[in-house]
Amino acid sequence: MTDTFAARVREMNADAPASAFVEVFGCQQNEHDGELIRGMLADMGFGFTQDAALAKVVVLNTCAVREHAEQRVLGHLGAIGRAGGSPGRIVAVCGCMAQLENSQNTLKRSYGHVNLVFGPGDLARFPELLYTALTKGGRHFNQSDPTAPPEEGLPVLRAAPPRALVTVMKGCDNFCSYCVVPHTRGRERSRAPEAVLGEVRGLIRQGYCEIMLLGQNVNSYRPNPDSAGIRDFPELLAALASLPGDFSLRFMTSHPKDASDKLFSVMGAYGKIAPFLHLPAQSGSSRVLAAMNRGYTREHYIALTERARAAVPGLNLTSDIMVGFPGETEDDFGETLGLLEKVRFNSLFTFIYSPRPETPAANLDGVPPPEVVKKRFARLLETQKRIEATL
Ligand code: SF4
């Protein structure tokens, strides 16, 4: 069906190919979805332009992880609206922000030039949705199915080698209390191992030698039991690392509650798996971790990193740390600084808590005052800088 709609749009472009403008915000999963969007647009006969005002189709693949990310998208959308465009232009907003009711209402109310909205689960329907918008006019707001299986066989327009992004699973079932991802990307769905292996084999043949495996929580990878005998992420990783060719594998992201000794031992056993582990701690306080619904304690986290380092020589360990979660006290923050001193991460991604719609944490009291959060954030950065200088 998708092919039928793609063919119809291709026909519309046959005589004079129109141009498309695609802008991607946010994480690597979004980046890869952007490659699929570009792939589908190319397959439908579009060329590409860097100027949204010259494009027949404008696509913003958005991020909703923090309020700041949404504000950036809205800023860009406003500029695109003010710059104007050709009659009949389609301005599409997709990605995480597009799935949230709040954001859809904002787009409906204040961004009248946006005429197509769809969430991350509707990626495979893009040709159909675009065809409808192009031929029927009007405004089309869609809510994607949070249980839709990961799409297979979509055209993809990747950046040139060496690096290629490959999805292994989508969605997240963890419902960390601050996180919008389970509401935007839906439940966990794993790709079949054969599909991932086939894609990576093809990429190696095309000269891609840095393969990045993607999933909101790769350690929750659970394919159907009948496929290829592979039951979990460490087994998939081992199978990929056994493929012939000169390439390396990385993966992102690992949830500490699901990272296992089996994963570490596979990482240590195969030279093709880069000794790199991103293990988001978020906080060093077990009390805050419980309020975040992270499913592990400070002690569990520290023990996990010790086992990972023992199993993977030269491990490069990175993490995410959030400051200013509701109820975070000076003592809690001190525990986070203590965690940094204890674990000595190679680098950190640091964030200030941002309440997100549809998440339980958005209803919690006790967000520390902004000036306190600012000071804690500065201390966090200073501490990490000092540690990194001694590594
Ligand atoms: S594990 Fe938690 S933080 Fe990560 S995507 Fe899932 S809900 Fe969000």
Side-chain angles (χ1 to χ4, degrees):
M1 189 57 115
T2 292
D3 284 351
T4 314
F5 288 106
R8 287 182 194 168
V9 179
R10 214 162 29 239
E11 244 169 64
M12 295 164 78
N13 272 328
D15 292 335
S19 294
F21 169 92
V22 180
E23 188 167 16
V24 177
F25 300 79
C27 66
Q28 289 181 317
Q29 184 61 62
N30 253 24
E31 204 186 308
H32 184 49
D33 287 350
E35 295 176 335
L36 296 171
I37 290 164
R38 286 193 184 94
M40 286 187 275
L41 284 163
D43 181 55
M44 288 187 274
F46 288 93
F48 293 94
T49 171
Q50 300 296 322
D51 185 349
L54 300 178
K56 174 79 177 169
V57 176
V58 172
V59 184
L60 266 60
N61 189 26
T62 65
C63 169
V65 71
R66 268 167 275 284
E67 198 185 339
H68 174 69
E70 284 203 41
Q71 292 307 329
R72 256 189 86 211
V73 171
L74 294 177
H76 283 231
L77 263 182
I80 286 168
R82 284 190 297 279
S86 58
R89 174 176 76 167
I90 301 299
V91 177
V93 177
C94 58
C96 285
M97 189 178 150
Q99 181 70 4
L100 294 173
E101 210 181 309
N102 255 5
S103 311
Q104 285 212 357
N105 288 339
T106 305
L107 295 172
K108 270 182 198 156
R109 222 177 24 241
S110 311
Y111 295 81
H113 59 294
V114 172
N115 35 26
L116 175 59
V117 175
F118 59 97
D122 271 339
L123 211 55
R125 290 183 61 217
F126 177 48
E128 174 195 344
L129 299 172
L130 181 61
Y131 177 77
T132 307
L134 282 166
T135 53
K136 297 213 164 116
R139 305 183 78 197
H140 305 265
F141 288 78
N142 303 275
Q143 278 281 334
S144 58
D145 174 0
T147 60
E151 51 283 331
E152 293 294 346
L154 295 182
V156 54
L157 202 59
R158 286 191 158 90
R163 193 184 70 137
L165 305 171
V166 176
T167 300
V168 301
M169 53 88 65
K170 292 202 149 190
C172 185
D173 287 352
N174 288 317
F175 289 92
C176 300
S177 63
Y178 55 83
C179 183
V180 79
V181 165
H183 306 277
T184 59
R185 291 197 174 266
R187 300 295 75 73
E188 288 170 357
R189 291 96 77 207
S190 299
R191 287 182 72 196
E194 300 92 333
V196 179
L197 283 158
E199 185 173 348
V200 173
R201 264 191 218 103
L203 289 167
I204 296 165
R205 274 199 300 272
Q206 291 167 48
Y208 288 94
C209 56
E210 294 171 21
I211 310 292
M212 171 65 94
L213 307 172
L214 298 177
Q216 257 71 41
N217 176 14
V218 288
N219 297 320
S220 291
Y221 179 75
R222 293 278 180 280
N224 285 335
D226 57 345
S227 36
I230 289 172
R231 295 163 300 173
D232 56 24
F233 185 65
E235 292 180 11
L236 177 70
L237 201 53
L240 289 166
S242 305
L243 292 175
D246 187 12
F247 66 95
S248 67
L249 292 164
R250 288 179 183 226
F251 54 91
M252 181 164 231
T253 292
S254 282
H255 194 299
K257 99 180 149 44
D258 303 312
S260 62
D261 292 334
K262 185 173 175 183
L263 173 72
F264 305 150
S265 97
V266 167
M267 286 179 74
Y270 290 85
K272 286 180 181 169
I273 304 173
F276 175 87
L277 182 65
H278 183 65
L279 201 61
Q282 305 299 359
S283 170
S285 154
S286 294
R287 202 185 67 79
V288 172
L289 289 170
M292 288 176 166
N293 193 30
R294 290 290 289 171
Y296 56 88
T297 61
R298 169 193 178 82
E299 291 70 30
H300 175 89
Y301 186 88
I302 291 171
L304 201 60
T305 58
E306 286 168 352
R307 296 207 301 279
R309 282 205 165 116
V312 187
L315 182 69
N316 186 313
L317 185 63
T318 64
S319 192
D320 294 344
I321 296 285
M322 187 189 295
V323 176
F325 188 77
E328 181 190 76
T329 63
E330 206 48 40
D331 283 353
D332 292 321
F333 179 66
E335 298 236 356
T336 296
L337 292 184
L339 184 82
L340 265 55
E341 304 282 3
K342 174 88 186 151
V343 177
R344 298 172 63 75
F345 296 104
N346 293 82
S347 67
L348 271 191
F349 297 87
T350 49
F351 308 95
I352 289 176
Y353 168 72
S354 163
R356 302 285 55 224
E358 301 179 27
T359 63
N363 300 320
L364 292 178
D365 294 329
V367 176
E371 60 281 9
V372 170
V373 174
K374 221 169 136 189
K375 278 190 192 146
R376 286 182 190 165
F377 194 68
R379 285 170 65 199
L380 182 77
L381 296 183
E382 271 163 32
T383 305
Q384 179 60 19
K385 197 170 159 198
R386 178 172 46 72
I387 292 168
E388 280 183 32
T390 63
L391 291 176

